[in-house]
């Protein structure tokens, strides 16, 4: 996981790319189970930070350039409009959207409407269907944690983020550094 530090102009939040190729709803549920949420990118600077992080991971985009799911979705799902109202899973204001040229277009090659948000080619976004982008599998999903998340070992990393990075060697759901033996 990486932190967008306040000292570098960030929000202090932590981000983790998860390689699991789940549908959007399943990805959202995994993020919640890990104490976070699907990432909400609400500014140009945060989008640049996210893009740099994903570029540092060669597996963060598949061969078609499709990146991970983010926490955006259309409020009126299944509606065939191209620019329906979008929202974040955290209910933050939707005020920034670097759509790729011609997006959102609700044009899924796999059928169905494109009601969910994913990264596409660099810092641009694409509307996608539940299972990925236009019939192609997405590359995973991006989880975000606030700086107020639980940190029992005081290492500055949210515990659920430590767990995601292998901090639970005995697989009991507790951060190893926080267990009393």
């Amino acid at each position: 996981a990486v932190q967008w530090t306040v000292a570098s102009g960030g929000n202090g939040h932590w981000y983790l790319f998860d390689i699991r190729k789940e549908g959007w709803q399943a990805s959202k549920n995994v993020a919640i189970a890990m104490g976070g949420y699907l990432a909400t990118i609400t500014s140009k600077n945060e989008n640049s930070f996210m893009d740099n992080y994903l570029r540092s991971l060669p597996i963060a985009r598949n061969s078609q350039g499709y990146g991970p799911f983010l926490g955006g979705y259309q409020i009126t799902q299944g509606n065939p409009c191209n620019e329906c109202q979008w929202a974040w899973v955290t209910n933050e204001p939707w005020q920034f959207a670097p759509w790729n040229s011609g997006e959102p277009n609700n044009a899924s090659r796999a059928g169905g409407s494109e009601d969910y948000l994913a990264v596409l080619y660099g810092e641009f976004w694409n509307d996608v269907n539940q299972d990925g982008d236009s019939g192609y599998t997405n590359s995973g999903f991006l989880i975000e944690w606030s700086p107020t998340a639980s940190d029992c070992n005081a290492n500055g990393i949210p515990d659920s983020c430590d767990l995601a990075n292998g901090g639970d060697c005995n697989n009991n759901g507790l951060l190893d550094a926080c267990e009393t033996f």
Side-chain angles (χ1 to χ4, degrees):
V2 297
Q3 184 181 31
W4 189 28
T5 64
V6 173
S8 68
N11 57 14
H13 290 202
W14 288 84
Y15 301 82
L16 176 71
F17 170 72
D18 193 305
I19 193 168
R20 285 178 270 191
K21 292 170 176 55
E22 308 273 358
W24 188 89
Q25 188 63 49
S27 298
K28 177 184 169 197
N29 292 341
V30 168
I32 290 169
M34 293 175 67
Y37 48 90
L38 287 178
T40 59
I41 310 300
T42 59
S43 71
K44 181 178 180 181
N45 289 341
E46 187 176 15
N47 196 51
S48 292
F49 174 82
M50 178 268 311
D51 182 55
N52 287 332
Y53 170 56
L54 294 176
R55 285 179 190 273
S56 74
L57 307 168
I59 57 173
R61 288 189 174 79
N62 68 19
S63 61
Q64 290 88 25
Y66 300 116
F69 282 126
L70 298 175
Y73 63 96
Q74 280 194 43
I75 293 172
T76 307
Q77 297 196 351
N79 190 340
C81 68
N82 291 349
E83 293 192 39
C84 293
Q85 189 175 2
W86 286 78
W88 292 114
V89 294
T90 57
N91 295 318
E92 293 170 87
W94 185 273
Q95 55 194 16
F96 173 78
W99 295 108
N100 195 43
S101 178
E103 301 293 346
N105 64 10
N106 203 42
S108 173
R109 293 182 204 148
S113 59
E114 294 185 322
D115 297 326
Y116 305 98
L117 180 63
V119 176
L120 173 68
Y121 302 119
E123 297 181 50
F124 298 107
W125 298 352
N126 187 23
D127 58 331
V128 298
N129 62 33
Q130 161 66 19
D131 297 316
D133 191 359
S134 301
Y136 300 109
T137 303
N138 69 307
S139 68
F141 51 99
L142 190 63
I143 304 170
E144 182 175 351
W145 288 271
S146 75
T148 59
S150 173
D151 182 18
C152 70
N153 61 352
N155 68 350
I157 300 172
D159 296 336
S160 51
C161 198
D162 278 340
L163 288 169
N165 283 324
D168 182 19
C169 297
N170 57 2
N171 295 315
N172 67 354
L174 299 173
L175 187 62
D176 293 342
C178 299
E179 291 184 68
T180 56
F181 295 97

